[in-house]
Amino acid sequence: MKKIIFVIVLCFYACICLDAQEISSQDYLNRYNALVKAGGYSGLGINTLVDKWIHDFPDEYMPHRAKFMSYLLSSKNEKVTRMNLQKYLGQEPVITLRDSTGKPVNYFREVTYDDNLFAQAIKEIDKAILLSPLNLELRLSKITALCGYEKDSPDMAVSSLNALIDYNFTQSPKWTYPGVEKVDEEFFSALVQEYCYTFFRYASSESGYASFKSVSERMLSYRPNDILFLDNLGSYYLVYEKNNKVALKYYNKVLKKKPDDMTAIKNCIILARTTKNKKLEKKYLPKFIKFSTDTTAVEAAKLRLKSILN
């Protein structure tokens, strides 16, 4: 423990005791990274260093992003909470105990936020975005933070994401993203789909499903043939609306464009079985047999198809 404290203190003094010579923004970044490595994004000396970094380089976005991370992590409080749920925000219980009657009681990891600190975090990431408007990672960091803060009622997150989608397709910005040479439409769509997956996984409420649908429809307004979001709407109507006819319409549209799309094929088979529609099942089982790489599932599908035909 003494050794750890000694290392942190050395990093702290190394990062705040600036030389008499002029220091560059890269020097600040190096010292910031050293502090993060020693004590985390909200550790000892971070705020002191970042405030001086902002003072010396007011047009740099990185110190504001650093301050965003500090405020964001400081705003979080993690605890284990008893809930009368089987899943919470898509996650399994941390532990399941039994009460005096023998009934299982689930406990989940829950993250709450200090509203004031979270608001400060959002202010800092907004400043960073203003200074580096074509940095896509900054905009996504804000949306991710809002998703965590709002949980299964992500109104602000969805509004920000839909605004980003509009901006992307109407202004055609030349985005930058760490580790990516060129941000094209396929890459952008894949990033948006990650949020749709989160909304669907969190969808324990009407708001969660509505968010999933809203973002998918916004993407399709610009990319009407995007298979990812056509599949999404099929899943929305199948799972939430229980509207098999509309769900099937979306899945068939996908399969016309991509005959081997396993999401559409599997969900069409599920739809057929839940409605006891053997004619429909006979239509999609051969597709599953043809395109699936799961040999065990393929054999089961062959047996099922044989039983239906007989």
Side-chain angles (χ1 to χ4, degrees):
M1 178 60 74
K2 288 182 178 179
K3 183 177 179 181
I4 293 173
I5 293 173
F6 180 67
V7 170
I8 291 174
V9 170
L10 280 180
C11 288
F12 172 67
Y13 282 110
C15 294
I16 64 172
C17 297
L18 305 180
D19 297 332
Q21 62 185 20
E22 185 178 353
I23 186 170
S24 69
S25 184
Q26 183 62 47
D27 292 330
Y28 274 111
L29 179 60
N30 293 340
R31 295 176 184 190
Y32 169 75
N33 288 335
L35 281 180
V36 169
K37 185 176 181 179
Y41 288 101
S42 57
L44 180 66
I46 290 286
N47 288 336
T48 301
L49 178 70
V50 170
D51 285 341
K52 185 164 180 53
W53 191 359
I54 291 172
H55 177 270
D56 290 350
F57 294 91
D59 295 328
E60 291 274 349
Y61 80 87
M62 270 301 297
H64 291 288
R65 192 194 186 287
K67 207 159 190 179
F68 158 74
M69 289 298 298
S70 178
Y71 278 127
L72 180 64
L73 294 181
S74 297
S75 73
K76 290 184 178 183
N77 177 45
E78 186 175 322
K79 58 183 179 180
V80 176
T81 305
R82 175 177 174 170
M83 300 181 188
N84 295 321
L85 299 170
Q86 295 303 310
K87 283 189 175 184
Y88 173 64
L89 300 181
Q91 63 179 320
E92 301 289 339
V94 174
I95 188 171
T96 299
L97 303 176
R98 293 190 178 274
D99 61 17
S100 58
T101 67
K103 181 181 177 181
V105 179
N106 292 330
Y107 290 82
F108 294 89
R109 171 182 170 270
E110 182 182 18
V111 178
T112 58
Y113 291 79
D114 178 283
D115 292 339
N116 292 329
L117 289 175
F118 184 81
Q120 289 298 319
I122 295 301
K123 285 182 181 178
E124 291 301 327
I125 198 66
D126 281 341
K127 291 176 184 177
I129 291 169
L130 283 173
L131 291 168
S132 185
L134 295 180
N135 187 322
L136 183 57
E137 189 272 336
L138 295 177
R139 294 173 185 260
L140 296 179
S141 292
K142 177 181 178 178
I143 294 169
T144 300
L146 289 171
C147 284
Y149 179 73
E150 295 181 296
K151 301 181 176 67
D152 59 349
S153 298
D155 297 336
M156 290 187 292
V158 170
S159 177
S160 295
L161 185 54
N162 279 339
L164 178 62
I165 292 168
D166 290 339
Y167 182 73
N168 178 74
F169 289 106
T170 60
Q171 303 301 315
S172 301
K174 303 298 182 183
W175 296 117
T176 61
Y177 193 88
V180 177
E181 185 175 343
K182 181 182 179 182
V183 176
D184 57 18
E185 285 194 8
E186 297 302 321
F187 182 78
F188 183 86
S189 293
L191 290 175
V192 173
Q193 177 66 350
E194 288 298 312
Y195 289 101
C196 287
Y197 173 74
T198 297
F199 298 146
F200 194 78
R201 189 164 58 92
Y202 284 10
S204 58
S205 66
E206 182 178 347
S207 178
Y209 283 110
S211 301
F212 175 75
K213 179 173 181 280
S214 172
V215 174
S216 297
E217 288 180 332
R218 188 63 63 94
M219 284 296 295
L220 287 171
S221 71
Y222 295 106
R223 288 170 58 89
N225 296 318
D226 194 310
I227 288 170
L228 289 175
F229 303 101
L230 289 171
D231 266 333
N232 284 357
L233 289 186
S235 298
Y236 170 82
Y237 284 103
L238 178 65
V239 176
Y240 182 67
E241 293 286 352
K242 311 296 183 187
N243 190 327
N244 295 330
K245 184 178 179 180
V246 176
L248 195 60
K249 181 189 77 171
Y250 279 106
Y251 290 136
N252 282 331
K253 191 171 183 178
V254 168
L255 292 173
K256 283 182 180 179
K257 301 178 184 306
K258 190 173 186 291
D260 63 343
D261 185 83
M262 292 307 297
T263 298
I265 292 171
K266 288 178 181 178
N267 285 341
C268 284
I269 293 172
I270 291 171
L271 187 156
R273 289 184 180 177
T274 55
T275 57
K276 296 181 170 45
N277 189 331
K278 291 185 178 181
K279 181 180 179 181
L280 200 61
E281 197 172 354
K282 281 193 293 184
K283 177 180 178 180
Y284 294 103
L285 279 172
K287 296 179 186 293
F288 182 86
I289 293 167
K290 181 178 180 180
F291 295 115
S292 176
T293 57
D294 185 335
T295 54
T296 302
V298 166
E299 290 305 313
K302 287 179 179 178
L303 291 174
R304 173 64 181 172
L305 182 60
K306 184 178 179 180
S307 69
I308 294 173
L309 294 174
N310 292 337

Short mmCIF file of all heavy atoms in Angstrom, two decimals, residues 161-211:
data_model
loop_
_atom_site.label_atom_id
_atom_site.label_comp_id
_atom_site.label_asym_id
_atom_site.label_seq_id
_atom_site.Cartn_x
_atom_site.Cartn_y
_atom_site.Cartn_z
N LEU A 161 -29.05 11.49 -30.28
CA LEU A 161 -28.67 10.55 -31.33
C LEU A 161 -29.40 10.85 -32.64
O LEU A 161 -28.80 10.84 -33.72
CB LEU A 161 -28.96 9.12 -30.87
CG LEU A 161 -28.51 7.98 -31.80
CD1 LEU A 161 -27.02 8.10 -32.13
CD2 LEU A 161 -28.80 6.63 -31.16
N ASN A 162 -30.68 11.14 -32.56
CA ASN A 162 -31.43 11.48 -33.78
C ASN A 162 -30.92 12.78 -34.40
O ASN A 162 -30.85 12.90 -35.63
CB ASN A 162 -32.92 11.60 -33.46
CG ASN A 162 -33.61 10.24 -33.39
OD1 ASN A 162 -33.12 9.26 -33.93
ND2 ASN A 162 -34.74 10.19 -32.71
N ALA A 163 -30.53 13.74 -33.56
CA ALA A 163 -29.96 14.99 -34.07
C ALA A 163 -28.62 14.72 -34.77
O ALA A 163 -28.32 15.32 -35.81
CB ALA A 163 -29.77 15.99 -32.93
N LEU A 164 -27.84 13.79 -34.21
CA LEU A 164 -26.57 13.42 -34.82
C LEU A 164 -26.80 12.75 -36.18
O LEU A 164 -26.08 13.01 -37.15
CB LEU A 164 -25.79 12.49 -33.89
CG LEU A 164 -24.44 11.97 -34.41
CD1 LEU A 164 -23.47 13.13 -34.65
CD2 LEU A 164 -23.84 10.97 -33.43
N ILE A 165 -27.80 11.88 -36.24
CA ILE A 165 -28.14 11.21 -37.50
C ILE A 165 -28.53 12.25 -38.56
O ILE A 165 -28.06 12.20 -39.70
CB ILE A 165 -29.28 10.20 -37.28
CG1 ILE A 165 -28.79 9.03 -36.41
CG2 ILE A 165 -29.81 9.68 -38.62
CD1 ILE A 165 -29.89 8.14 -35.90
N ASP A 166 -29.38 13.20 -38.17
CA ASP A 166 -29.79 14.26 -39.11
C ASP A 166 -28.58 15.04 -39.61
O ASP A 166 -28.44 15.31 -40.81
CB ASP A 166 -30.76 15.21 -38.42
CG ASP A 166 -32.13 14.58 -38.16
OD1 ASP A 166 -32.46 13.59 -38.83
OD2 ASP A 166 -32.84 15.09 -37.27
N TYR A 167 -27.71 15.40 -38.68
CA TYR A 167 -26.53 16.18 -39.03
C TYR A 167 -25.62 15.39 -39.97
O TYR A 167 -25.10 15.94 -40.96
CB TYR A 167 -25.77 16.56 -37.77
CG TYR A 167 -24.54 17.41 -38.00
CD1 TYR A 167 -24.65 18.75 -38.37
CD2 TYR A 167 -23.27 16.87 -37.85
CE1 TYR A 167 -23.52 19.54 -38.58
CE2 TYR A 167 -22.14 17.64 -38.07
CZ TYR A 167 -22.27 18.97 -38.43
OH TYR A 167 -21.14 19.73 -38.65
N ASN A 168 -25.46 14.11 -39.69
CA ASN A 168 -24.59 13.28 -40.51
C ASN A 168 -25.07 13.21 -41.96
O ASN A 168 -24.27 13.35 -42.90
CB ASN A 168 -24.51 11.87 -39.93
CG ASN A 168 -23.65 10.95 -40.76
OD1 ASN A 168 -22.43 11.05 -40.77
ND2 ASN A 168 -24.29 10.04 -41.49
N PHE A 169 -26.36 13.01 -42.15
CA PHE A 169 -26.87 12.78 -43.50
C PHE A 169 -27.24 14.05 -44.25
O PHE A 169 -27.35 14.04 -45.48
CB PHE A 169 -28.05 11.81 -43.45
CG PHE A 169 -27.64 10.40 -43.13
CD1 PHE A 169 -27.90 9.87 -41.88
CD2 PHE A 169 -26.98 9.62 -44.06
CE1 PHE A 169 -27.51 8.57 -41.56
CE2 PHE A 169 -26.57 8.33 -43.75
CZ PHE A 169 -26.85 7.80 -42.50
N THR A 170 -27.43 15.15 -43.54
CA THR A 170 -27.76 16.40 -44.24
C THR A 170 -26.53 17.27 -44.48
O THR A 170 -26.49 18.05 -45.44
CB THR A 170 -28.80 17.23 -43.44
OG1 THR A 170 -28.27 17.54 -42.14
CG2 THR A 170 -30.10 16.45 -43.29
N GLN A 171 -25.52 17.14 -43.62
CA GLN A 171 -24.33 17.98 -43.75
C GLN A 171 -23.11 17.24 -44.29
O GLN A 171 -22.12 17.88 -44.66
CB GLN A 171 -23.98 18.60 -42.38
CG GLN A 171 -25.11 19.41 -41.76
CD GLN A 171 -25.55 20.55 -42.63
OE1 GLN A 171 -24.74 21.28 -43.18
NE2 GLN A 171 -26.88 20.72 -42.78
N SER A 172 -23.16 15.92 -44.28
CA SER A 172 -22.03 15.09 -44.76
C SER A 172 -20.69 15.53 -44.16
O SER A 172 -19.73 15.83 -44.89
CB SER A 172 -21.95 15.13 -46.29
OG SER A 172 -23.14 14.65 -46.87
N PRO A 173 -20.58 15.59 -42.84
CA PRO A 173 -19.33 16.02 -42.21
C PRO A 173 -18.21 15.01 -42.43
O PRO A 173 -18.47 13.81 -42.57
CB PRO A 173 -19.71 16.11 -40.73
CG PRO A 173 -20.83 15.14 -40.57
CD PRO A 173 -21.61 15.20 -41.85
N LYS A 174 -16.99 15.51 -42.44
CA LYS A 174 -15.82 14.65 -42.57
C LYS A 174 -15.37 14.24 -41.17
O LYS A 174 -14.45 14.81 -40.59
CB LYS A 174 -14.70 15.37 -43.31
CG LYS A 174 -15.08 15.86 -44.70
CD LYS A 174 -15.45 14.70 -45.62
CE LYS A 174 -15.78 15.20 -47.03
NZ LYS A 174 -16.21 14.09 -47.92
N TRP A 175 -16.06 13.23 -40.62
CA TRP A 175 -15.80 12.83 -39.24
C TRP A 175 -14.38 12.28 -39.05
O TRP A 175 -13.79 11.69 -39.96
CB TRP A 175 -16.77 11.73 -38.82
CG TRP A 175 -18.22 12.07 -38.77
CD1 TRP A 175 -19.22 11.52 -39.52
CD2 TRP A 175 -18.86 13.02 -37.91
NE1 TRP A 175 -20.44 12.06 -39.19
CE2 TRP A 175 -20.25 12.99 -38.19
CE3 TRP A 175 -18.40 13.90 -36.92
CZ2 TRP A 175 -21.17 13.79 -37.54
CZ3 TRP A 175 -19.33 14.70 -36.27
CH2 TRP A 175 -20.69 14.65 -36.57
N THR A 176 -13.88 12.44 -37.84
CA THR A 176 -12.69 11.73 -37.41
C THR A 176 -13.10 10.82 -36.26
O THR A 176 -14.04 11.12 -35.51
CB THR A 176 -11.58 12.68 -36.93
OG1 THR A 176 -12.05 13.43 -35.78
CG2 THR A 176 -11.17 13.63 -38.03
N TYR A 177 -12.40 9.70 -36.14
CA TYR A 177 -12.70 8.74 -35.06
C TYR A 177 -11.40 8.00 -34.76
O TYR A 177 -10.71 7.55 -35.67
CB TYR A 177 -13.79 7.76 -35.50
CG TYR A 177 -14.37 6.96 -34.37
CD1 TYR A 177 -15.44 7.44 -33.62
CD2 TYR A 177 -13.83 5.72 -34.03
CE1 TYR A 177 -15.97 6.71 -32.58
CE2 TYR A 177 -14.35 4.98 -32.98
CZ TYR A 177 -15.43 5.48 -32.27
OH TYR A 177 -15.94 4.75 -31.23
N PRO A 178 -11.05 7.86 -33.47
CA PRO A 178 -9.76 7.23 -33.11
C PRO A 178 -9.59 5.84 -33.73
O PRO A 178 -10.47 4.98 -33.62
CB PRO A 178 -9.85 7.13 -31.58
CG PRO A 178 -10.80 8.22 -31.18
CD PRO A 178 -11.81 8.29 -32.29
N GLY A 179 -8.48 5.65 -34.40
CA GLY A 179 -8.16 4.35 -34.97
C GLY A 179 -8.85 4.02 -36.27
O GLY A 179 -8.68 2.92 -36.81
N VAL A 180 -9.64 4.96 -36.80
CA VAL A 180 -10.37 4.72 -38.05
C VAL A 180 -9.88 5.71 -39.10
O VAL A 180 -9.91 6.92 -38.89
CB VAL A 180 -11.89 4.88 -37.85
CG1 VAL A 180 -12.63 4.70 -39.17
CG2 VAL A 180 -12.39 3.88 -36.82
N GLU A 181 -9.44 5.17 -40.23
CA GLU A 181 -8.89 6.03 -41.29
C GLU A 181 -9.97 6.88 -41.93
O GLU A 181 -9.78 8.06 -42.18
CB GLU A 181 -8.21 5.16 -42.35
CG GLU A 181 -7.51 5.97 -43.43
CD GLU A 181 -6.75 5.09 -44.41
OE1 GLU A 181 -6.49 3.92 -44.08
OE2 GLU A 181 -6.42 5.58 -45.51
N LYS A 182 -11.13 6.27 -42.19
CA LYS A 182 -12.22 7.01 -42.82
C LYS A 182 -13.55 6.54 -42.24
O LYS A 182 -13.84 5.35 -42.22
CB LYS A 182 -12.21 6.79 -44.34
CG LYS A 182 -13.32 7.56 -45.06
CD LYS A 182 -13.29 7.28 -46.55
CE LYS A 182 -14.41 8.02 -47.27
NZ LYS A 182 -14.44 7.73 -48.73
N VAL A 183 -14.36 7.48 -41.78
CA VAL A 183 -15.69 7.16 -41.26
C VAL A 183 -16.67 7.23 -42.43
O VAL A 183 -17.02 8.31 -42.90
CB VAL A 183 -16.11 8.15 -40.15
CG1 VAL A 183 -17.54 7.85 -39.69
CG2 VAL A 183 -15.14 8.07 -38.97
N ASP A 184 -17.10 6.05 -42.90
CA ASP A 184 -18.08 6.02 -43.99
C ASP A 184 -19.47 5.72 -43.43
O ASP A 184 -19.66 5.58 -42.22
CB ASP A 184 -17.67 5.00 -45.06
CG ASP A 184 -17.51 3.59 -44.48
OD1 ASP A 184 -18.02 3.32 -43.38
OD2 ASP A 184 -16.87 2.75 -45.15
N GLU A 185 -20.45 5.62 -44.32
CA GLU A 185 -21.83 5.41 -43.89
C GLU A 185 -22.01 4.06 -43.20
O GLU A 185 -22.79 3.93 -42.25
CB GLU A 185 -22.79 5.52 -45.08
CG GLU A 185 -23.01 6.94 -45.55
CD GLU A 185 -24.20 7.07 -46.49
OE1 GLU A 185 -24.94 6.08 -46.66
OE2 GLU A 185 -24.39 8.17 -47.04
N GLU A 186 -21.28 3.05 -43.65
CA GLU A 186 -21.39 1.73 -43.04
C GLU A 186 -20.89 1.76 -41.59
O GLU A 186 -21.51 1.18 -40.70
CB GLU A 186 -20.61 0.69 -43.84
CG GLU A 186 -21.11 0.49 -45.26
CD GLU A 186 -22.57 0.07 -45.31
OE1 GLU A 186 -22.99 -0.73 -44.45
OE2 GLU A 186 -23.29 0.57 -46.19
N PHE A 187 -19.80 2.45 -41.38
CA PHE A 187 -19.24 2.56 -40.03
C PHE A 187 -20.18 3.35 -39.13
O PHE A 187 -20.45 2.97 -37.99
CB PHE A 187 -17.87 3.24 -40.09
CG PHE A 187 -17.19 3.36 -38.76
CD1 PHE A 187 -16.56 2.27 -38.18
CD2 PHE A 187 -17.18 4.57 -38.07
CE1 PHE A 187 -15.93 2.38 -36.95
CE2 PHE A 187 -16.57 4.68 -36.84
CZ PHE A 187 -15.93 3.58 -36.28
N PHE A 188 -20.71 4.44 -39.66
CA PHE A 188 -21.64 5.27 -38.89
C PHE A 188 -22.89 4.45 -38.53
O PHE A 188 -23.35 4.50 -37.38
CB PHE A 188 -22.03 6.51 -39.70
CG PHE A 188 -22.93 7.46 -38.96
CD1 PHE A 188 -22.39 8.44 -38.13
CD2 PHE A 188 -24.32 7.39 -39.09
CE1 PHE A 188 -23.21 9.32 -37.43
CE2 PHE A 188 -25.14 8.27 -38.41
CZ PHE A 188 -24.59 9.23 -37.57
N SER A 189 -23.42 3.71 -39.47
CA SER A 189 -24.61 2.90 -39.22
C SER A 189 -24.34 1.85 -38.14
O SER A 189 -25.20 1.59 -37.28
CB SER A 189 -25.06 2.20 -40.50
OG SER A 189 -25.53 3.15 -41.44
N ALA A 190 -23.16 1.24 -38.19
CA ALA A 190 -22.81 0.23 -37.18
C ALA A 190 -22.75 0.84 -35.79
O ALA A 190 -23.17 0.21 -34.80
CB ALA A 190 -21.48 -0.42 -37.55
N LEU A 191 -22.23 2.07 -35.69
CA LEU A 191 -22.17 2.75 -34.40
C LEU A 191 -23.58 3.04 -33.87
O LEU A 191 -23.88 2.82 -32.69
CB LEU A 191 -21.39 4.06 -34.52
CG LEU A 191 -19.89 3.95 -34.75
CD1 LEU A 191 -19.29 5.34 -34.97
CD2 LEU A 191 -19.20 3.28 -33.56
N VAL A 192 -24.47 3.50 -34.75
CA VAL A 192 -25.85 3.78 -34.34
C VAL A 192 -26.54 2.49 -33.90
O VAL A 192 -27.30 2.47 -32.93
CB VAL A 192 -26.62 4.46 -35.48
CG1 VAL A 192 -28.11 4.61 -35.11
CG2 VAL A 192 -26.03 5.83 -35.80
N GLN A 193 -26.26 1.40 -34.61
CA GLN A 193 -26.89 0.12 -34.27
C GLN A 193 -26.50 -0.34 -32.86
O GLN A 193 -27.30 -0.99 -32.18
CB GLN A 193 -26.50 -0.94 -35.30
CG GLN A 193 -27.03 -2.33 -35.02
CD GLN A 193 -28.56 -2.45 -35.09
OE1 GLN A 193 -29.28 -1.46 -35.17
NE2 GLN A 193 -29.05 -3.67 -35.07
N GLU A 194 -25.31 0.02 -32.41
CA GLU A 194 -24.91 -0.33 -31.04
C GLU A 194 -25.85 0.31 -30.02
O GLU A 194 -26.20 -0.31 -29.01
CB GLU A 194 -23.46 0.12 -30.79
CG GLU A 194 -22.42 -0.72 -31.49
CD GLU A 194 -22.43 -2.17 -31.04
OE1 GLU A 194 -22.45 -2.41 -29.81
OE2 GLU A 194 -22.44 -3.07 -31.90
N TYR A 195 -26.27 1.53 -30.29
CA TYR A 195 -27.22 2.20 -29.39
C TYR A 195 -28.60 1.55 -29.48
O TYR A 195 -29.28 1.40 -28.47
CB TYR A 195 -27.29 3.69 -29.69
CG TYR A 195 -26.04 4.42 -29.27
CD1 TYR A 195 -25.08 4.76 -30.21
CD2 TYR A 195 -25.80 4.73 -27.94
CE1 TYR A 195 -23.91 5.40 -29.84
CE2 TYR A 195 -24.64 5.38 -27.56
CZ TYR A 195 -23.70 5.71 -28.50
OH TYR A 195 -22.53 6.33 -28.13
N CYS A 196 -29.00 1.17 -30.69
CA CYS A 196 -30.28 0.48 -30.84
C CYS A 196 -30.28 -0.82 -30.04
O CYS A 196 -31.28 -1.17 -29.40
CB CYS A 196 -30.56 0.18 -32.32
SG CYS A 196 -31.00 1.64 -33.29
N TYR A 197 -29.16 -1.52 -30.09
CA TYR A 197 -29.04 -2.75 -29.31
C TYR A 197 -29.19 -2.47 -27.82
O TYR A 197 -29.87 -3.20 -27.10
CB TYR A 197 -27.68 -3.40 -29.59
CG TYR A 197 -27.39 -4.60 -28.70
CD1 TYR A 197 -28.04 -5.81 -28.91
CD2 TYR A 197 -26.48 -4.49 -27.65
CE1 TYR A 197 -27.77 -6.90 -28.09
CE2 TYR A 197 -26.22 -5.57 -26.83
CZ TYR A 197 -26.87 -6.78 -27.05
OH TYR A 197 -26.61 -7.85 -26.22
N THR A 198 -28.57 -1.38 -27.37
CA THR A 198 -28.69 -1.00 -25.96
C THR A 198 -30.13 -0.69 -25.59
O THR A 198 -30.63 -1.16 -24.57
CB THR A 198 -27.81 0.23 -25.66
OG1 THR A 198 -26.43 -0.11 -25.89
CG2 THR A 198 -27.98 0.70 -24.23
N PHE A 199 -30.82 0.08 -26.43
CA PHE A 199 -32.22 0.43 -26.15
C PHE A 199 -33.09 -0.83 -26.11
O PHE A 199 -33.97 -0.94 -25.26
CB PHE A 199 -32.76 1.39 -27.22
CG PHE A 199 -32.05 2.71 -27.28
CD1 PHE A 199 -31.87 3.37 -28.49
CD2 PHE A 199 -31.54 3.30 -26.12
CE1 PHE A 199 -31.21 4.59 -28.55
CE2 PHE A 199 -30.88 4.52 -26.18
CZ PHE A 199 -30.71 5.16 -27.39
N PHE A 200 -32.84 -1.76 -27.03
CA PHE A 200 -33.64 -2.99 -27.07
C PHE A 200 -33.34 -3.86 -25.84
O PHE A 200 -34.25 -4.46 -25.27
CB PHE A 200 -33.34 -3.76 -28.35
CG PHE A 200 -34.33 -4.86 -28.64
CD1 PHE A 200 -35.57 -4.56 -29.17
CD2 PHE A 200 -34.02 -6.19 -28.38
CE1 PHE A 200 -36.49 -5.56 -29.45
CE2 PHE A 200 -34.93 -7.19 -28.65
CZ PHE A 200 -36.17 -6.88 -29.19
N ARG A 201 -32.08 -3.89 -25.45
CA ARG A 201 -31.68 -4.70 -24.27
C ARG A 201 -32.25 -4.10 -22.99
O ARG A 201 -32.59 -4.81 -22.06
CB ARG A 201 -30.15 -4.76 -24.20
CG ARG A 201 -29.61 -5.73 -23.17
CD ARG A 201 -28.14 -6.02 -23.44
NE ARG A 201 -27.35 -4.80 -23.42
CZ ARG A 201 -26.74 -4.34 -22.32
NH1 ARG A 201 -26.85 -4.97 -21.18
NH2 ARG A 201 -26.02 -3.25 -22.39
N TYR A 202 -32.37 -2.77 -22.95
CA TYR A 202 -32.92 -2.08 -21.79
C TYR A 202 -34.45 -2.05 -21.81
O TYR A 202 -35.07 -1.53 -20.88
CB TYR A 202 -32.44 -0.62 -21.76
CG TYR A 202 -31.02 -0.43 -21.30
CD1 TYR A 202 -30.14 -1.49 -21.14
CD2 TYR A 202 -30.53 0.85 -21.03
CE1 TYR A 202 -28.84 -1.30 -20.75
CE2 TYR A 202 -29.22 1.05 -20.62
CZ TYR A 202 -28.38 -0.02 -20.48
OH TYR A 202 -27.09 0.18 -20.08
N ALA A 203 -35.04 -2.58 -22.90
CA ALA A 203 -36.46 -2.34 -23.15
C ALA A 203 -37.38 -3.08 -22.19
O ALA A 203 -38.09 -4.00 -22.56
CB ALA A 203 -36.80 -2.73 -24.58
N SER A 204 -37.36 -2.65 -20.93
CA SER A 204 -38.31 -3.19 -19.95
C SER A 204 -39.50 -2.25 -19.82
O SER A 204 -40.40 -2.49 -19.02
CB SER A 204 -37.61 -3.33 -18.59
OG SER A 204 -37.10 -2.08 -18.16
N SER A 205 -39.51 -1.20 -20.60
CA SER A 205 -40.60 -0.23 -20.52
C SER A 205 -40.98 0.20 -21.93
O SER A 205 -40.28 -0.05 -22.91
CB SER A 205 -40.15 1.00 -19.73
OG SER A 205 -39.13 1.70 -20.42
N GLU A 206 -42.12 0.86 -22.03
CA GLU A 206 -42.59 1.38 -23.32
C GLU A 206 -41.59 2.35 -23.90
O GLU A 206 -41.35 2.38 -25.11
CB GLU A 206 -43.95 2.05 -23.13
CG GLU A 206 -44.55 2.58 -24.42
CD GLU A 206 -45.92 3.19 -24.20
OE1 GLU A 206 -46.49 2.99 -23.13
OE2 GLU A 206 -46.41 3.87 -25.12
N SER A 207 -40.96 3.15 -23.03
CA SER A 207 -40.00 4.15 -23.49
C SER A 207 -38.79 3.51 -24.15
O SER A 207 -38.27 4.01 -25.15
CB SER A 207 -39.55 5.02 -22.31
OG SER A 207 -38.60 5.96 -22.71
N GLY A 208 -38.33 2.37 -23.61
CA GLY A 208 -37.18 1.69 -24.18
C GLY A 208 -37.45 1.20 -25.59
O GLY A 208 -36.65 1.38 -26.51
N TYR A 209 -38.61 0.58 -25.79
CA TYR A 209 -38.97 0.11 -27.14
C TYR A 209 -39.20 1.28 -28.09
O TYR A 209 -38.84 1.22 -29.26
CB TYR A 209 -40.24 -0.74 -27.07
CG TYR A 209 -40.01 -2.14 -26.55
CD1 TYR A 209 -40.47 -2.53 -25.30
CD2 TYR A 209 -39.32 -3.08 -27.32
CE1 TYR A 209 -40.25 -3.81 -24.83
CE2 TYR A 209 -39.10 -4.36 -26.85
CZ TYR A 209 -39.58 -4.73 -25.61
OH TYR A 209 -39.36 -6.00 -25.14
N ALA A 210 -39.81 2.35 -27.58
CA ALA A 210 -40.07 3.53 -28.42
C ALA A 210 -38.74 4.13 -28.89
O ALA A 210 -38.64 4.61 -30.03
CB ALA A 210 -40.88 4.56 -27.64
N SER A 211 -37.74 4.11 -28.03
CA SER A 211 -36.41 4.64 -28.39
C SER A 211 -35.79 3.81 -29.49
O SER A 211 -35.22 4.33 -30.46
CB SER A 211 -35.51 4.64 -27.15
OG SER A 211 -36.05 5.43 -26.12
#
